[in-house]
Amino acid sequence: YRILTDKKLDILTTLSKPNCCISLEELSKTTKMSLPLISYHINGNLKSEGLKEMGLVDTNEIRGRIEIKLSVLGRMLLNGYVS
């Protein structure tokens, strides 16, 4: 939990809601964060791990769009099963 920033935790919480945010674009609109900022939190950079690298979200490209969803580990973390 310590390595998760507030924004990353907000993204995970948003993704946990039913029928929410299949694509990065939808996630950007729902969280009111810019698409580059969403991409940064999902993919990370050299200095900071992204949610994908942490194993908390899964992504899949479908017809040129990136689909995003919580991974099993991400759900467990949000439900308090991982400490």
Side-chain angles (χ1 to χ4, degrees):
Y1 291 100
R2 289 187 306 237
I3 61 173
L4 286 177
T5 63
D6 290 341
K7 292 202 184 271
K8 284 182 176 144
L9 198 52
D10 287 344
I11 291 170
L12 291 175
T13 303
T14 301
L15 286 171
S16 71
K17 296 176 182 171
N19 300 322
C20 175
C21 315
I22 293 173
S23 69
L24 291 180
E25 291 83 5
E26 286 181 57
L27 182 60
S28 173
K29 290 176 187 174
T30 304
T31 58
K32 297 182 177 142
M33 291 183 211
S34 68
L35 193 53
L37 186 58
I38 290 290
S39 180
Y40 163 76
H41 286 299
I42 299 298
N43 298 306
N45 63 17
L46 293 175
K47 294 180 182 179
S48 174
E49 278 186 312
L51 294 170
K52 187 174 163 182
E53 192 173 330
M54 290 178 193
L56 301 175
V57 296
D58 294 322
T59 58
N60 189 21
E61 186 175 343
I62 298 176
R63 290 184 229 127
R65 292 190 138 194
I66 302 295
E67 178 186 82
I68 184 165
K69 62 182 179 178
L70 275 179
S71 68
V72 173
L73 181 60
R75 289 194 190 286
M76 290 174 66
L77 184 118
L78 285 177
N79 291 327
Y81 293 115
V82 178
S83 57

